[in-house]
Every structure is written in C-alpha cells, then in structure tokens.
Amino acid sequence: MVPELKNYVISLKNRPDRLKEFIDENKDVRIGIEIFDAIDGNIISKNTLIQNGIISDQNHYSPAALGCLVSHLTLWKQAVDQNAQMTIFEDDAVLHQDFQDLSRSLIEEHADFDIIFWGCNTDWPIELAVGAGFLSVTLLCGPGEPRFSPMTPLMAHPKLLRVTLLAGLCSYTISPKGAKKLLELLLPLGNEDTQIRIFKDGIGNKMEILPWINTGIDVAISKHLMNINSYISFPFISGSKNEWDKSSIQKL
C-alpha cells in the first residue's frame, strides 16, 4: 500500500508572527498544510531526553536546537507509526508556486526514496553523488548568489539528484522507511563533530578538510546521507530565509 502523504509546518505557538509570515509568503501555493506546534527547547528537560534515549550526555545543543531536534523527531515517529510520507516545512520556508504538482511528480518517479530535500542552505557546501564516473561533486554558491524566489520561472523541470552533504531542513519529504532508518542511525544523538571536504580556493586546486561543528539536527543527518536514499531537487522548489547563527563552521 502506498503511504499517505501529509504536510506539516513546524512553528512555535509563541511566535505567531513567523507562522503569519509563512502563510503570507506562500499564499499562492495550492497545498494543504497542517500546523505542528513546535517543541519549545527552553522547557525541555535534557535529563528526560537522555533517559528516553533521544540524546546522550555528550550532547551540547542549544535550547533552540534541542527544540528543533525533538520537533522533527516527533514527526518522524508519527510517519513510522502511521505509515505516512510526510512533507515537513520549517516556518521560514518559501515554496515555489507549483510546489504541490512538482513535488508529487518527483516523489512518484522515485518510489525508493528515504528523504527528499526540496531546497537547502546555499551558504554551505552541497555534495552530490552524480555517478558517471564521479565519486562526488561539491557545489559552492558564492556570497552574492540570489535567494530562492518562488516567482522566478524554472529554467528546466526539476530533477532529483543523490545528495550526501547539505545544511538546512527548510522543507523535505520523508518516507516511513526513511524516518525509521534515520531514527535508528541518529539516536541517541551525541555531539560528535564531523568533517567536510571543500575546495578552499574555489577552483579545485586545493582541497582541504574543514571541521563542521555539530550544532543541529541537519549536521547530524548529513553524516548519514551517504547510507540512505537521499535526494535533492535541482532546481530547488523551496528555499529558506536561513536565519541562524553562522559561527558553527570555520571561516573559509
């Protein structure tokens, strides 16, 4: 049986301004989205999370990152329990006006998926497993790159490419089996840092290993993308205002 597809936006009750902005930004998108009340990290007991096997005692996420973590994990557990595919948005996501039709057609073409990202942060490296003799290709977007715009016509119909590294969880679809895999791979979540391979000079002559400090669930997920069926849409059909603390990666 094909899993049911559900759509949720994660938003804090005490930030109605963010939910209003999400609704206003996406008023022309024809898609039904349920509101998931985000977990407030300021009222989470870290000891309880440790006892429940969600995090280890080495985890040092900020309260905001813990709230984000538990919010996404709660929806993943629902996806497993309800055998439901879930498209999950954070409340700073901006969607292409044809998001519904585009995403559904791509999902139907890749029934084996565990997780599909409809966009990601463009100020971090994006590593793709493109095949055709390439082990991987790393994309770096310049600081002057324009933000995703839902009104910009797509130059080509989006395709799904295998992705093994990215940052940001503004919008993605996760399958029940993908949610189960990630829950098993991630939990209990410690605070181990990871590393990324990046061309420091921007033209491919000097590859270096740089630290990527584990400050959030998107970093933790990226450590495991190569072990699951993970895809990203190119071109993006969703973007993010990407309002976060960028001190967690070493300056290039």
Side-chain angles (χ1 to χ4, degrees), residues 13-30:
K13 271 188 173 181
N14 63 359
R15 290 298 307 272
D17 55 311
R18 289 181 63 96
L19 181 59
K20 181 180 184 302
E21 189 171 356
F22 173 84
I23 292 171
D24 290 345
E25 289 274 13
N26 299 296
K27 63 181 182 298
D28 295 325
V29 182
R30 301 178 304 278

Side-chain angles (χ1 to χ4, degrees), residues 34-205:
E34 297 182 44
I35 299 168
F36 176 84
D37 290 329
I39 308 300
D40 187 344
N42 293 301
I43 62 174
I44 290 176
S45 165
K46 292 189 72 171
N47 286 335
T48 299
L49 294 180
I50 292 170
Q51 292 169 7
N52 291 338
I54 303 299
I55 62 174
S56 73
D57 56 5
Q58 286 81 38
N59 185 283
H60 303 297
Y61 279 16
S62 68
L66 281 177
C68 182
L69 166 68
V70 178
S71 297
H72 285 275
L73 294 184
T74 300
L75 285 170
W76 295 0
K77 290 178 180 178
Q78 288 184 23
V80 175
D81 293 342
Q82 300 171 11
N83 189 39
Q85 295 176 354
M86 287 188 179
T87 299
I88 299 171
F89 307 102
E90 294 185 337
D91 60 8
D92 64 344
V94 180
L95 314 183
H96 189 276
Q97 58 186 353
D98 295 325
F99 179 90
Q100 169 112 318
D101 293 339
L102 292 170
S103 61
R104 283 183 180 272
S105 67
L106 291 170
I107 288 171
E108 290 173 359
E109 293 172 10
H110 293 77
D112 66 330
F113 82 95
D114 290 320
I115 189 168
I116 301 172
F117 300 93
W118 302 115
C120 66
N121 296 347
T122 56
D123 54 355
W124 292 56
I126 306 167
E127 186 177 83
L128 304 173
V130 296
F134 292 93
L135 293 178
S136 65
V137 172
T138 302
L139 303 182
L140 303 176
C141 299
E145 292 294 320
R147 289 185 180 272
F148 168 85
S149 171
M151 303 307 293
T152 301
L154 297 176
M155 298 301 292
H157 191 280
K159 300 292 183 184
L160 294 187
L161 302 178
R162 288 295 304 271
V163 63
T164 53
L165 180 78
L166 51 67
L169 296 178
C170 68
S171 65
Y172 63 93
T173 299
I174 193 165
S175 69
K177 68 182 181 69
K180 186 173 186 294
K181 287 180 183 179
L182 282 174
L183 289 168
E184 292 172 350
L185 288 167
L186 288 171
L187 304 184
L189 185 59
N191 211 70
E192 305 85 357
D193 295 341
T194 190
Q195 295 178 324
I196 58 174
R197 299 175 299 282
I198 190 168
F199 294 122
K200 192 170 184 178
D201 64 2
I203 58 174
N205 292 329

Side-chain angles (χ1 to χ4, degrees), residues 209-228:
I209 302 296
L210 298 178
W212 189 355
I213 301 172
N214 182 2
T215 54
I217 185 176
D218 56 339
V219 177
I221 287 175
S222 269
K223 293 179 64 176
H224 301 287
L225 291 182
M226 66 182 62
N227 299 316
I228 64 175

